[in-house]
């Protein structure tokens, strides 16, 4: 039943930020009598939809929910009170909510009302589903994901910069689906000049059914960017340019006329960019940048997770770029070793997924 909660919760991936993904199932005996999920911020929580579906059958039932029910008034009333009012008998919770406004208080309130509460069912899967939400609550920064595609010999392009296409169509579809679940995707000026990317989810569904496009973010200190680019087509998806100081005022005006938002930061680094995006309540940020910016993002703690697509191709060449630039390591023992690594086969390609250690070795 907890796995069913997770399945329901995933239906809203990309829509709920800054809220977590939550699903709820109400069970009477051996039968599901109601279920629901939180569709987006500002709308009722999963428990409310599940209780509505269950009606009077919720009385004496067991409620499963992957995240601790809230016990405070925000945009919506407390879910703990809704469960109490429905007179459920038992609540099974996947994980405790890290938000200090909740963090155990919802469980405590349910128990004080005489409801039996079980905590920690499928906890690892529940934590993984909402890893971006947990990270932002703990560190006040979005969760950073570095994604890149490379050949078997570790190249992201030829020596002349040509990079389309390294991976197969199934892998590219996987990336489009990933973008739809992230709040923003970041590139540097060099990637934009070389690739002229779209950075959308490339979905062809009707607008009301299509997954959301992420906020497209370009980091550039000089604003030496092309006047014609897909990212300036803001009717497709919003674009934000982060720069430092106040360079190229005329070009800034031009971008703003195209509907592009331009923000001047005192200092432009991956860390300052993530701090700014955190102030905008973003949960997850996908880094699709080149090697130089990727190395900077790793070094200053702006990346927590790596998704590396490896294609069975060989390009060769000492001048062909690699996915991560200079980190300053001189010994193999200094290398950053990913944790909780998983391998997936995507068509002919391989996807390696892992997490950076909490403490990155000094460079």
């Amino acid at each position: 039943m907890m796995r069913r909660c997770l399945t329901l919760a995933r239906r809203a991936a990309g829509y709920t930020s800054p809220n977590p993904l939550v699903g709820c199932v109400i069970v009477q005996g051996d039968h599901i009598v109601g279920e629901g999920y939180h569709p987006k911020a500002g709308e009722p929580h999963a428990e409310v939809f599940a209780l509505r579906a269950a009606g009077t059958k919720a009385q004496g039932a067991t409620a499963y929910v992957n995240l601790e029910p809230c016990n405070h008034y925000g945009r919506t009333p407390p879910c703990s009170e809704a469960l109490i009012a429905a007179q459920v008998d038992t609540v099974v919770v996947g994980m405790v909510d890290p938000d200090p406004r909740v963090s155990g208080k919802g469980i405590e309130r349910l128990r004080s009302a005489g409801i039996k509460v079980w905590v920690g069912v499928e906890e690892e899967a529940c934590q993984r589903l909402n890893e971006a939400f947990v990270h932002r609550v703990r560190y006040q920064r979005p969760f950073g994901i570095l994604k890149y595609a490379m050949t078997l010999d570790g190249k992201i392009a030829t020596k002349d910069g040509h990079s389309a296409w390294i991976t197969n169509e199934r892998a590219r579809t996987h990336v489009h689906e990933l973008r739809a679940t992230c709040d923003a995707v970041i590139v540097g000026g060099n990637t934009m000049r070389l690739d002229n990317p779209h950075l959308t989810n490339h979905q062809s569904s009707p607008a009301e059914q299509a997954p959301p496009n992420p906020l497209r973010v370009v980091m550039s200190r000089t604003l030496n960017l092309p006047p014609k680019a897909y990212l300036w087509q803001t009717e497709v998806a919003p674009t934000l340019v982060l720069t430092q100081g106040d360079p190229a005022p005329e070009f800034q005006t031009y971008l703003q006329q195209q509907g592009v938002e331009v923000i001047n930061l005192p200092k432009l680094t991956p860390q300052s960019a993530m701090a700014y995006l955190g102030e905008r309540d973003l949960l997850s940020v996908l880094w699709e940048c080149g090697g130089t910016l990727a190395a900077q993002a790793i070094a200053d703690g702006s990346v927590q997770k790596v998704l590396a697509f490896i294609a069975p191709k060989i390009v060769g060449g000492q001048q062909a770029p690699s996915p991560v630039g200079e980190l300053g390591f001189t010994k193999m023992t200094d290398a950053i070793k990913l944790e909780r690594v998983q391998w997936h086969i995507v068509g002919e390609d391989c996807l390696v997924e892992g997490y950076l250690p909490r403490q990155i070795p000094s460079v």
Side-chain angles (χ1 to χ4, degrees), residues 150-154 165-168 310-315 349:
M150 70 179 189
T151 59
L152 196 59
D153 55 340
W165 295 100
I166 294 175
T167 53
N168 62 46
I310 305 171
K313 300 176 181 179
I314 295 175
V315 170
D349 301 329

Side-chain angles (χ1 to χ4, degrees), residues 138-158:
R138 288 179 177 169
Y139 304 106
Q140 291 77 55
R141 294 286 189 277
F143 184 77
I145 305 169
L146 174 63
K147 188 281 301 179
Y148 57 82
M150 70 179 189
T151 59
L152 196 59
D153 55 340
K155 308 299 182 181
I156 60 173
T158 66

